[in-house]
Amino acid sequence: MPGAPTPALHVDPSELARLAGELARSVGVRIRAMREQGVDVAATKSSLTDVVTAADREAEELLVAGILAARPDDGFLGEEGADLTGTTGITWVIDPIDGTTNYLYGLPAYGVSVAATVADGSAAGLQSGNTHDGRRAIAGAVYIPVTDELFTAFEGGGAMLGGVAVAVSTEEDLGLALVGTGFGYTLERRTEQANVARHIIPQIRDLRRMGSASVDLCMIASGRLDAYYERGLQPWDYAAGVLIAREAGAEILGRDGDTLPGEPLLIAGPPTLARKLRDSVAAAYAAG
Ligand code: IPD
Ligand code: CA
Ligand code: CA
């Protein structure tokens, strides 16, 4: 599909990845310390169980301040409301706490997700690893505070965990695959996802719902999950994770309008397995 060419950028993606990693780690250390002092729900969003804590808000403010200090002319899109158009062509897409329900309950699977993206209308949506609103991550980081794991990647540079290269699993057999997924917050979406999971579970080794899409995608990148699917994610959930998984060798499949109408479906995994999973998930959605 023809589209707008990517603007020429005078920026080193490895520098952006370094900055993303530094900020994700420092903010992650801070929210972990806040968690130890206790946590309360500050507000709810799409449903009574879709919560925001004070830490989500403070973490987003700290990330924005950190990026602005280093790169004052960049733009932002953050889950908790940061929304600014910059002048450099770089927009930072951030999820200050991805896995807020885990954070609230004291479960370990939550992460700070930071991605530097550029506008890219040259390829439609997730099929190419772009966000479904027309951006492409060129650098990013996900930090998991409880395990002190920092995943980073920049385009063409491979994916790193603590500076050491990681790679996706070599599994090709869907029947042996450990598959991650997630469920949205609204009743309608959750009901649809439960029906799909009912079809998928008999075809795979087992299903994991860890509660953080960015962590799931890092588990794909490091071969600790074989494949992953979820429908209805927002760009901040997956912008950094998709880049990290792709740079570790994952194929990213599924796009708006490809097999499903409406909100996009994201599938990630080693190429052969990802395609098999896409066929199964598409069949499960078709079966209703
Ligand atoms: C959620 C997590 C979860 C996924 C949901 C997301 P949040 O993000 O990534 O794993 O299943 O779709 O909304 O609300 O914890 O930032
Ligand atoms: Ca999220
Ligand atoms: Ca969040």
Side-chain angles (χ1 to χ4, degrees), residues 45 50-51 56 79 95 97-101 181-185 209-214 216 228 230-233 236-237:
K45 297 191 281 190
D50 183 4
V51 303
D56 291 271
E79 180 173 15
D95 194 338
I97 304 181
D98 184 43
T100 294
T101 306
T181 193
F183 305 121
Y185 289 107
R209 192 294 193 250
M210 292 199 287
S212 169
S214 62
D216 288 321
Y228 169 76
E230 184 165 352
R231 186 175 181 210
L233 292 172
W236 45 76
D237 297 316

Side-chain angles (χ1 to χ4, degrees), residues 214-240:
S214 62
V215 172
D216 288 321
L217 287 161
C218 290
M219 297 304 106
I220 294 294
S222 50
R224 288 182 262 173
L225 275 180
D226 294 310
Y228 169 76
Y229 76 93
E230 184 165 352
R231 186 175 181 210
L233 292 172
Q234 299 299 321
W236 45 76
D237 297 316
Y238 64 82

Side-chain angles (χ1 to χ4, degrees), residues 51-77:
V51 303
V52 188
T53 71
D56 291 271
R57 291 172 174 168
E58 181 171 328
E60 184 159 303
E61 280 166 22
L62 288 171
L63 289 168
V64 168
I67 294 164
L68 276 177
R71 298 186 50 88
D73 300 320
D74 288 354
F76 298 95
L77 176 67

Side-chain angles (χ1 to χ4, degrees), residues 31-56:
I31 59 172
R32 186 179 178 189
M34 284 178 79
R35 182 65 187 74
E36 281 158 21
Q37 309 303 309
V39 60
D40 282 316
V41 172
T44 58
K45 297 191 281 190
S46 63
S47 77
L48 281 177
T49 52
D50 183 4
V51 303
V52 188
T53 71
D56 291 271

